[in-house]
Amino acid sequence: MPNRLLPLAAFFLVLLTIVSVPQHSLAQQAAVPAEPAHVMVEHGVAMKTRDGVTLRADLYYPAEGGKYPTLLQRTPYNKQNAAAFASKAATRGYFVVVQDCRGRYTSDGEWYVFKHESEDGYDAVEWAAALPHSNGTVGMWGGSYVGATQMLAAIAHPPHLKGIAPWVTASNYHENWTYQGGAFEQGFNESWTSGLAQDTLDHVIRDNTNFRLGSTKLPMNSYPVFNLSKPVDGAALTAELAPYFLDWLAHPSYDDYWKQWAIDENYPQITVPALTMTAWYDIFQGGSLHNYVGLRDHAGTDAARKNGRLIVAIGGHSGSGRKIGAVDFGPAAASWSDEDETLDWYDYLFLGKQNQFADASKPVRIFVMGTNQWRKESAWPPPNAKETRYLLGSGGKANTAAGDGVLAVSAGSGSESPDSFVYDPANPVPTTGGPLCCDGEHFAGGPRDQKEVEARDDVLVYSTPVLDRDVEVIGPVSLDLFAKTSAADTDFTAKLVDVAPDGTAINLTEGILRARYRESTKGTPKLVTPGEVYEYKIDMWSTSNVFLKGHKIRLEVSSSNFPRFDRNLGTGKDAASDTEMVKATNTVLHDAAHPSALILPVVAR
């Protein structure tokens, strides 16, 4: 994804080279053989939505004909990218339909994230169910935004939809997609938007290319290669090609703009079983786990509540295979495939096969880091995980890993002086790994050594003594923090770290909370009073890790994680529309009256 704006003409030429430009007139409507030879494919098959927009899909089915259970994917990322899975599914006896979302690649209409996915999803399910090779039973599959197209379609409950298999997707497009704890997910939002805008620009070019309109121009060196009258600077292109990005910035609090697409407010509307798949280090891990629990407890039918399954693998948007980031998680990590699990899920759900999903007593499968093994559980979170408070302590010098910050399950007897640091928005703590997306070349995610972060004076570091036994942590992680700031607003960040005997400090999970949203991200934010102590409850999402004997459990506390999250300017104003920055002196308290604590779900074995 481009990280800098090119001159417009060059930008157009680059995009014409790297972006597929499907020509509707070349869509192949006749069935043609594909690889493997016993799968047939129809390209560019048109569907009309309820408001008359034409969407196009590729169809895959066994060459011998007949009617089959149907797997549907609706994607903004080019339907051709699903060809390998679709062919594989067709060889397993499925009829597969892969459709470009409205305004994307070969489909007509205007693209705006989330806006049309419920209605278009409903229409696509019912259309696919009526196609000649469908037996009328439809399931959906796919990850990230393709998970969103499933969830939003399921909320509309089309009659022929019988199952979904969302992989690494969110539960709320404000709180665990665009924002987290009131902070803007800047790295993801900007890189994802830039990638999406490439195809939108391709549509604009395609709709504004007609040499006849410029053929009378003299001199000929003024010929317009594209018939565009739009401004050429990058910001104007953002407004033209990605207006949703500006709308996200204009709605920092959870309001009606976000409610119209909220998954977590509509679990009772979902009436079909879901295979929820996510991953440690995935940017949507928190939302995926919330979806599983929400559907288990609140879905609209017994079948949906009782027949859901959860898998938590490793990597997701941060990578795949046995090595994620800087850590090799071994052969067990490499053996897992979301596509294989999806096909097995529908073999169980639609064909009645007694495979790994048949045991309802163990609906949860998770990858446990540290020991690097898969484990089945009866519930999420595991019922034998006990909430354990690790109290923060120091003599007032917890700055950097060389400081005196400690974590202990009981209050220390020494001095409990508060710890302070200066947060400078002009010199923020750099993002180092973690749950990131979508530009691995410039913005590498996953587990990374945090030693450079922990050498900064604006990072407080609290560690346990060297562990004399393994400590297994599986479930939600949070930080209960008592703190104050000299500014009108600030952020507090928290990161859980596993420290090896050689000093390597590997991040596990993290969180952030903007001070003005300390009570809620809904409604009107409340600025702080400088110098007043507040309690901040920071959601650090979840993890599954065995801290091995000889390791340490560590917590990092600071006020920035940039550019994953936008910088808090310290003025009470937003970086979305303001540039003034002020430094803040931020202080963490951890005395008897202010028992700041890292809260871990420790498993008793």
Side-chain angles (χ1 to χ4, degrees):
M1 298 180 188
N3 276 0
R4 57 188 181 276
L5 294 171
L6 304 172
L8 189 60
F11 194 29
F12 284 164
L13 293 175
V14 169
L15 289 176
L16 284 173
T17 300
I18 66 174
V19 179
S20 172
V21 185
Q23 298 295 323
H24 298 164
S25 62
L26 299 180
Q28 301 173 36
Q29 298 297 331
V32 295
E35 292 294 339
H38 52 290
V39 172
M40 304 298 288
V41 183
E42 297 179 39
H43 293 284
V45 179
M47 180 202 92
K48 287 287 187 182
T49 65
R50 64 188 68 183
D51 59 344
V53 174
T54 298
L55 309 183
R56 293 175 175 83
D58 294 341
L59 314 182
Y60 300 75
Y61 49 89
E64 57 266 28
K67 293 182 179 292
Y68 305 93
T70 300
L71 302 185
L72 168 67
Q73 180 175 108
R74 302 191 61 258
T75 177
Y77 302 124
N78 192 341
K79 55 185 170 51
Q80 296 176 7
N81 289 329
F85 173 87
S87 293
K88 182 178 181 179
T91 66
R92 291 262 290 251
Y94 291 95
F95 173 47
V96 185
V97 179
V98 188
Q99 183 182 75
D100 287 326
C101 289
R102 180 183 296 230
R104 303 297 292 171
Y105 292 90
T106 63
S107 288
D108 298 343
E110 177 190 2
W111 163 251
Y112 189 102
V113 294
F114 311 123
K115 186 175 183 179
H116 301 285
E117 306 305 356
S118 281
E119 294 81 2
D120 288 356
Y122 181 106
D123 293 349
V125 168
E126 295 306 294
W127 172 74
L131 289 171
H133 296 286
S134 175
N135 69 359
T137 298
V138 180
M140 300 181 74
W141 96 94
S144 196
Y145 191 90
V146 185
T149 62
Q150 295 179 67
M151 302 298 288
L152 290 165
I155 285 171
H157 41 83
H160 289 89
L161 183 66
K162 303 302 180 183
I164 55 176
W167 156 236
V168 291
T169 198
S171 63
N172 187 291
Y173 303 124
H174 175 266
E175 176 53 31
N176 48 68
W177 186 288
T178 311
Y179 289 84
Q180 184 178 335
F184 189 64
E185 286 264 13
Q186 184 173 347
F188 163 61
N189 294 330
E190 290 182 345
S191 61
W192 186 53
T193 297
S194 293
L196 290 173
Q198 292 182 7
D199 179 61
T200 304
L201 178 57
D202 183 48
H203 276 251
V204 171
I205 294 170
R206 205 165 59 212
D207 294 340
N208 291 275
T209 301
N210 181 351
F211 90 96
R212 292 294 299 274
L213 295 180
S215 62
T216 59
K217 275 196 174 285
L218 291 175
M220 289 177 62
N221 61 13
S222 65
Y223 167 70
V225 66
F226 302 118
N227 314 119
L228 300 174
S229 59
K230 303 299 181 185
V232 298
D233 68 279
L237 281 174
T238 301
E240 174 66 20
L241 303 176
Y244 43 85
F245 179 81
L246 301 179
D247 290 342
W248 299 340
L249 291 171
H251 294 271
S253 300
Y254 183 70
D255 57 16
D256 288 342
Y257 173 82
W258 300 105
K259 287 180 182 179
Q260 63 184 321
W261 303 309
I263 303 300
D264 54 7
E265 292 195 19
N266 287 282
Y267 290 136
Q269 301 302 318
I270 297 178
T271 60
V272 299
L275 168 61
T276 301
M277 296 180 285
T278 189
W280 312 127
Y281 298 104
D282 186 76
I283 195 169
F284 302 134
Q285 176 240 99
S288 292
L289 293 173
H290 191 59
N291 279 338
Y292 173 74
V293 174
L295 290 173
R296 181 195 66 195
D297 296 344
H298 304 293
T301 62
D302 281 344
R305 290 189 295 271
K306 295 178 180 179
N307 293 332
R309 300 290 187 267
L310 173 66
I311 302 175
V312 189
I314 185 79
H317 285 90
S318 288
S320 61
R322 63 181 288 166
K323 186 175 183 182
I324 310 296
V327 176
D328 186 337
F329 289 97
S335 66
W336 187 84
S337 163
D338 63 286
E339 292 187 348
D340 289 342
E341 297 288 353
T342 296
L343 289 173
D344 288 348
W345 166 246
Y346 284 116
D347 283 352
Y348 161 72
L349 196 65
F350 289 172
L351 304 180
K353 293 187 178 181
Q354 297 302 293
N355 55 26
Q356 68 268 31
F357 296 108
D359 184 3
S361 69
K362 297 284 187 179
V364 176
R365 241 185 310 146
I366 56 177
F367 188 84
V368 181
M369 298 179 287
T371 55
N372 296 336
Q373 297 174 339
W374 285 94
R375 179 177 301 159
K376 294 182 178 180
E377 295 285 355
S378 61
W380 177 264
N384 57 345
K386 179 183 178 182
E387 188 176 278
T388 305
R389 297 177 68 88
Y390 285 78
L391 297 169
L392 280 62
S394 79
K397 298 179 180 178
N399 312 72
T400 79
D404 64 358
V406 298
L407 289 174
V409 293
S410 60
S413 58
S415 171
E416 291 300 326
S417 302
D419 297 302
S420 295
F421 62 91
V422 175
Y423 162 57
D424 182 359
N427 181 27
V429 176
T431 297
T432 305
L436 305 179
C437 180
C438 299
D439 184 0
E441 180 182 355
H442 305 104
F443 198 41
R448 307 277 171 178
D449 193 347
Q450 303 296 303
K451 64 181 179 182
E452 293 186 9
V453 169
E454 294 177 353
R456 292 177 59 108
D457 198 57
D458 56 355
V459 177
L460 304 180
V461 179
Y462 302 92
S463 307
T464 65
V466 174
L467 299 175
D468 59 6
R469 59 181 178 85
D470 292 353
V471 177
E472 186 170 328
V473 174
I474 303 179
V477 178
S478 62
L479 175 62
D480 189 4
L481 189 73
F482 292 87
K484 61 183 178 179
T485 181
S486 64
D489 192 33
T490 196
D491 293 345
F492 287 102
T493 63
K495 187 182 297 179
L496 179 65
V497 177
D498 186 337
V499 185
D502 64 0
T504 302
I506 297 297
N507 53 303
L508 292 170
T509 190
E510 59 194 48
I512 190 170
L513 183 59
R514 187 144 291 176
R516 74 183 86 166
Y517 290 110
R518 63 196 178 278
E519 296 181 5
S520 175
T521 57
K522 301 178 180 179
T524 304
K526 299 178 181 179
L527 296 177
V528 298
T529 299
E532 185 171 330
V533 177
Y534 296 93
E535 184 176 11
Y536 298 92
K537 294 184 178 293
I538 303 176
D539 182 1
M540 299 171 65
W541 290 5
S542 296
T543 195
S544 173
N545 184 70
V546 176
F547 292 87
L548 299 173
K549 179 181 178 180
H551 287 226
K552 297 179 183 179
I553 302 171
R554 176 169 290 174
L555 171 72
E556 297 172 10
V557 177
S558 192
S559 289
S560 49
N561 182 351
F562 180 79
R564 182 185 175 194
F565 300 108
D566 70 319
R567 293 166 291 177
N568 193 311
L569 302 183
T571 62
K573 298 180 180 179
D574 286 319
S577 56
D578 204 66
T579 59
E580 181 187 0
M581 295 185 287
V582 299
K583 295 180 181 180
T585 298
N586 293 340
T587 301
V588 171
L589 295 87
H590 40 73
D591 51 43
H594 306 98
S596 294
L598 171 67
I599 303 169
L600 298 180
V602 177
V603 176
R605 294 292 180 187

